Amino acid sequence: MSQSQRFLVTAVPSRRDGLGSNGMQNGDSSVQETESTVPILEYLREPNKYGDGIPKESSPFINSTDIDKGTMYEGKNLALFEEEMDRNPMVSSLLNRLANYTNLTQGVREHEEAENNEESRKKEIKAPQMGTFIGVYLPCLQNILGVILFLRLTWIVGAAGIFGSFWIVFICCACTLLTAISMSAIATNGVVPAGGSYYMISRSLGPEFGGAVGLCFYLGTTFAGAMYILGTIEILLTYIVPSAAIFKADDPSQETQTMLNNMRVYGTCTITLMATVVFVGVKYVNKLALVFLACVILSILAIYAGVIKTAFSPPDFPLCMLGNRTLASKAFDICAKISTVGNQTVTTQLWRLFCDSPYLNATCDEYFNLNNVTIIQGIPGIASGVISENIWSTYGSQGELLEKRGLPSVPASESATNTRLPYVFSDIATYFTMLVGIYFPSVTGIMAGSNRSGDLKDAQKSIPTGTLLAIITTSFIYLSSIILFGACIEGVLLRDKFGDSVDGNLVIGTLAWPSPWVIVIGSFFSTCGAGLQSLTGAPRLMQAIARDGIIPFLRVFGHGKANGEPTWALLLTAGICEIGILIASLDSVAPILSMFFLMCYMFVNLACALQTLLKTPNWRPRFTYYHWTLSFLGMSLCLALMFICSWYYALVAMVIAGCIYKYIEYRGAEKEWGDGIRGLSLNAARYALLRLEDGPPHTKNWRPQLLILLNLDTEQNVKHPRLLSFTTQLKAGKGLTIVGSVLEGTFLDRHADVQNAEQNIKTLMGLEKTKGFCHVVVSSNRRDGVSHLIQSSGLGGMKHNTVLVAWPELWRQTDGPTGWKNFVDMVCETTAAHQALLVTKNIDSFPTNQERFAGGTIDIWWIVHDGGLLMLLPFLLSQHKVWKKCKMRIFTVAQIDDNSIQMKKDLQLFLYQLRLDAEVEVVEMLDNDISAFTYERTLVMEQRSQMLKQMQLSKNEREREAQLIHDRNAAAHSSGTDRLSVSPEGVHMTWTKEKITAEKNKNKESLSPEGVRDIFNMRPEWGNLNQSNVRRMHTAVKLNEVVVNRSQDARLVLLNMPGPPKNRQGDENYMEFLEVLTEGLNRVLMVRGGGSEVITIYS
C-alpha cells in the first residue's frame, strides 16, 4: 500500500488479585472456562503448530488445544476478554511465536546433515544465509547455460542465419522473461517454503492442476537429465575419444545409426553411474557444483577471448571444397586431386575416393571431373565481412549436401548423389519451428532460484532480482554469440553439426582461446554436472508430489532412506531417463522436454494472471512490476511455442496433463491449498457451487462475505443508510453481500410490505453502489427472524461468514429488555455459527461514498488474536478512495512480564511478512487498584439490573428510571475522569525490573486485607458487588481511558469485541460493559472473529 499504516499495542500486567488462572475468583460460579488459551507470543514462536505452515498447512492458528496451560494470562486489566482467551490468544504471545520461528530449509541440506546423526545433533541449525548472487544468480546461470550453447548454437546460426537465430533466441528469452516476472510475483506473495516451482504452481492453481503440471515439470526435469547425458556422450565420442566407439560403420550411410547405438550403450552406463553417485550421497554433487559452474564461466570467457583474437589473428582452420560442396576431411589427408612427389605427379587419397583407380586415366565421378578443389578458411575472423553471407537462413532437407553460396560450381548430369562419396550431408531436415524446439531447452533453468527458496536469506528480494538478472545476462550471451558466430565463422562450417569437414573438431572450440580443449573439457564437465543435478532435483520433486498425496498410486515414491533421500523416486527417475537415452538423439529429446517445461511455464503465467484478476485479499506481492496482461502474454507465448516446436508433442503433453487432472478430480482431491481456481469458482454457477460445498475456504481465499442486518421504519425505509456505504467501502475484497432485514408478523399479512421493503433496499443499494443480494423475511418476532437469516442466508459456498450490524444506540430506552436482549442473542448465535461479527457504533457519523478523507488514521486495538480479521479489515478499507489516504496504526497490549520493545520489533516483523504497512505502538497498562469510579459504575449497573427485574413498571416509568440511572452514570464518570487526570503517569512505554517489582509490591499491598477493608469502608455496599462484574468493568474503564487518550481523533477505531458471559446471567450488564468500553469515541467498529484464521504470512 502507498500509505504507511500505524498499529498501537497495549501492555497488560499479570493478575495479582488472588483470582484463579481461568479468570474467575475462587467460588465464583458466574465465570466458567472450559477451553484452553492460545497465548499470542506462543503462536508467534511456532506458527506451524497452529496452522498454515507446511507440516499442517490447513490447521488454524486459533482453537488449538496443543498449548502450555501455564502460559495463560492472569491479569485483571483484560478481564473483559478472559472468556475469549480459550480461543483467541493474546497479541504478545502471537508476536513472540513469530519472532522465534525459522523457516528451515527442506531439501538436500537436511539429507547431508542426517547422514551423520551424531554431528547433526550437535550442530546448531542456523537460519538461511544465502544471498541473491550465490543463492539465485549463479544457480540460474549454471542451469541456463549448457549443452545447447556448446553443441548446437553454431549449427542453429548456420541454418537459420543471424536474423532467424536472433528471432529464435529473442522469442524464447521473452517467454522465460515473462514467466520469471509472473514467478517473481508468486514467489514474493508471502513466505515461499522450500519446494520451489511445484509449490508455487500447486498452491496457486489447486491440487488438480498442481498434480498435472507438477508431473509434467518432473518429466521435463527428468528428460533434461537425459539430454545432458546424451550431450556428455556426444562430446566424449565425437570430440575427445572417437576411438572409444564400440560400434563402427563400414558404410558412411550407416554412421548416424552406429553413433546412436554407441550413445545408447554409453548413456546407459553413464546413467547407472550417476544414479549410484546420487544414491551414495548428494553432498558429493553439491561439492562439485562450483567446479561445474567454473567450467561454464571459463568456457564462455574463452569464446569471447577467441572472437577478439580473430580480429587481428584468425586461426588456421581450412575447409576443403569440391566446387561449392564441402568435403569430409576425415577420409583424406591432402585437399587436392594430385600432388607432386619428387618429379612425379601422383594422385591423392581424394582422387581414389572419387575415381575407380589411382591412375590419371581412371574413370572418375562427373562432378569431380568438372570442378576444382579449393581451400577456404573456416574461421576467417570478425573483420573478414563474412557476416553479410550469414545474415539469412539456409535451411535444408535431410541428406542434403552442404554447399557454399558464391563459389563456382559446374553441375553434373547425374540426378542422385552417391552417399559413399566424402561429402558432408545434413543429418536432419532444418526449418524454423524445429530449431525453436531444439533451442528452447537452453533457456530453461530459470526456476533454479525458486527451488532454493528455503536456503535464501530474503527470498522475496533475492528470487526476482537474481532470476531476472540471470535471464538478462544469459540473453545477452546468447544474442551476442549469435552475432559473433555469424561474423567470424564460414556458413558451411556453421551448418556442419559434428565438424566432419574439420577432422571432427568442435567448431566453437576452435574459435576459443587459448586452446580448443578449454571448450571441449569445459563443456564435457558442465553437461556432466547438469545431468547430475537433474538426477538430484527430479527425485525430490517426485517425492514432494508423492508426499502431498494427491495421486494415490505415487505414494510409494514418497519413501526413501532414513535420512530422507528419495530412493524409490531416484529409481523411477533413472528409469524414465533411460527412455530418453534409448531415443539417443539429442535433437529428438530436446523438443520433448521443451513441451513439459513450456507447459510448466504456461501455468505459472496462468497462476499469476488468475490471482491478479481475482484480486484476492491475500494477493499482495512485494514484487510490483507485474501485470495480468504480461502474464497472459507469457501464457499465450508458451502455448504458441508448444505448437511451433512440435504440434504432435504438444498434443501428447496436453493429453498426459489432462488425464492426470481428470484422475485427481475423479479420485477426489482432498487437499485445499487456497488456490486461485477455487477462488475463481466462487463466481461460477451450479458446478462451482457444488465444488465449494466440499469444505470451508482456505485462509488465503478468505474474504468477508457479508450479511448486513438493517433496521426499517414503519414505511419500510432503511434507518441507517450509512451501513450500506460502509459495506461498499469494504468490498475491495469482493466476495458476497447479502442485505437482510426482518418484519414482524405473518407473511400472508405482510407480503406486500416485504416487496416494498426489498424494493427500497435495492434502490438504496443501487445508490450506494452495493453489489449483492437482498433478503427480507417475516417472523413472529425480530429475534427469530434474525436467527433465521444468520442460519439460512446464502447457498452452498456462497454463504456469508460475517454479520454486520449497527449498535443499538437506544438500548437503555427500548421498550422492555427485548432491545438489548435481541442484540446479545444475535452475538451468541453468530459465535455458535462460527461467523464473524462487525458492530458499528455511531454509524450515522460514518463517511458516505462521496466523501474523501485527506488524512488521519485508522487505529486498530489488537487485544486478542481471533483470526486476524482486525488486520484484514483496514487493508480492505484502504483500497477504497474514501479511506485511501488514511494511515494505519496498530496498538496492542503487553503484559507486565513482556519486553514491550521486543514485542514492537516482533509485531513489525509480523506485519512485514503479512505485506502490511503500518505504524506500531505497544501500550503497557498498569495493574492499578480498582478505582472508586469502577465500583460506583458497577453498583449503578447492578442496581438498575435488579430494579428492571423485580419491579413491574410501565413503559414510561421504565424510561424515567433508565434515564435517571444514566444521569447518575454520567456524573460518576465525570468525577472519575477528573480524578484520573491528576496522574498522567498512568501509562508507561517500557517496563524495567525496578518498575515491575514496585508494581507487584504495590499490588500486594493494595490487595492486603487492610487495603480491601479501606476500600469497602468508603461505601459498604461495594463489598456486596459481584467481583466478576467489578473486574470486567475495571477492564472496560481502563481500556476506554487508554483508547480515548490515543485514538480520540482517529478516523476509525477498530477493537476486539468481547463476548457475553457464557452462563447467560447478567446479559444486561454486557451492554453496559461495551458502552463503557467505547465511550468518547466518534466512529467505532467492534470486531468479533468467527473462529477461523483469515490472514496468513504464506504464499
Side-chain angles (χ1 to χ4, degrees), residues 858-862 870 873-874 877 1052-1056 1085 1087:
I858 299 176
D859 288 357
I860 299 95
W861 285 83
W862 196 17
L870 271 175
L873 291 176
L877 281 175
L1052 179 64
V1053 176
L1054 291 86
L1055 50 81
N1056 292 110
L1085 181 63
V1087 180

Side-chain angles (χ1 to χ4, degrees), residues 137 141 144-145 149 153 165-166 169-170 172-174 176-177 300-301 303-304 307-308 439 442-443 467-485:
Y137 181 75
L141 211 65
I144 295 174
L145 299 172
L149 171 65
L153 191 57
S165 302
F166 192 93
V169 174
F170 178 80
C172 295
C173 290
T176 56
L177 181 64
I300 293 172
L301 292 176
I303 294 171
Y304 282 109
V307 169
I308 295 172
Y439 172 76
S442 65
V443 296
T467 304
L468 292 175
L469 282 178
I471 291 175
I472 292 171
T473 303
T474 53
S475 299
F476 172 79
I477 291 173
Y478 281 126
L479 292 173
S480 62
S481 297
I482 287 172
I483 297 173
L484 295 176
F485 291 163

Side-chain angles (χ1 to χ4, degrees), residues 404-525:
K404 176 176 170 55
R405 288 176 294 192
L407 281 181
S409 174
V410 179
S413 60
E414 70 265 20
S415 58
T417 302
N418 189 350
T419 58
R420 300 181 64 88
L421 296 177
Y423 292 121
V424 179
F425 298 92
S426 297
D427 63 329
I428 58 175
T430 55
Y431 44 92
F432 182 83
T433 57
M434 185 271 291
L435 295 178
V436 172
I438 292 176
Y439 172 76
F440 187 81
S442 65
V443 296
T444 61
I446 62 173
M447 293 187 174
S450 64
N451 290 337
R452 296 169 178 242
S453 57
D455 300 325
L456 300 175
K457 186 189 304 181
D458 187 356
Q460 295 190 3
K461 176 183 177 183
S462 298
I463 290 177
T465 306
T467 304
L468 292 175
L469 282 178
I471 291 175
I472 292 171
T473 303
T474 53
S475 299
F476 172 79
I477 291 173
Y478 281 126
L479 292 173
S480 62
S481 297
I482 287 172
I483 297 173
L484 295 176
F485 291 163
C488 295
I489 304 174
E490 186 63 51
V492 288
L493 181 57
L494 287 172
R495 300 198 301 276
D496 186 3
K497 184 190 295 184
F498 301 108
D500 292 332
S501 61
V502 286
D503 294 328
N505 288 314
L506 184 60
V507 175
I508 195 173
T510 308
L511 176 64
W513 181 86
S515 170
W517 288 103
V518 174
I519 296 293
V520 173
I521 300 300
S523 59
F524 175 80
F525 280 112

Side-chain angles (χ1 to χ4, degrees), residues 45 69 103 118 126 208 267 280 288 370 404 456 561 584-585 592 648 726 773 823 883 918 927 1004 1007 1083:
R45 291 191 186 101
K69 303 294 178 60
N103 183 19
E118 294 181 0
K126 298 181 179 179
E208 295 90 353
V280 170
L288 292 173
L370 295 175
K404 176 176 170 55
L456 300 175
K561 293 195 295 186
S585 172
I592 296 176
Y648 46 89
F726 185 71
F773 308 97
F823 181 85
W883 305 91
D927 200 356
K1004 291 179 181 178
L1007 293 175
R1083 301 183 191 92

Side-chain angles (χ1 to χ4, degrees), residues 22 57 235 296 356 374 445 453 485 647 651 662 688 775 895 929 969 987:
N22 61 352
E57 188 177 23
I235 294 171
V296 174
D356 57 1
T374 57
S453 57
F485 291 163
W647 64 268
L651 291 178
K662 297 305 292 184
H775 191 190
Q895 303 178 44
D929 301 345
N969 289 347
V987 178

Side-chain angles (χ1 to χ4, degrees), residues 177-187 604-605 608 619 626 630-631:
L177 181 64
L178 293 172
T179 303
I181 292 174
S182 299
M183 182 192 71
S184 298
I186 298 174
V604 169
N605 286 294
C608 182
W619 180 247
Y626 71 95
L630 294 178
S631 300

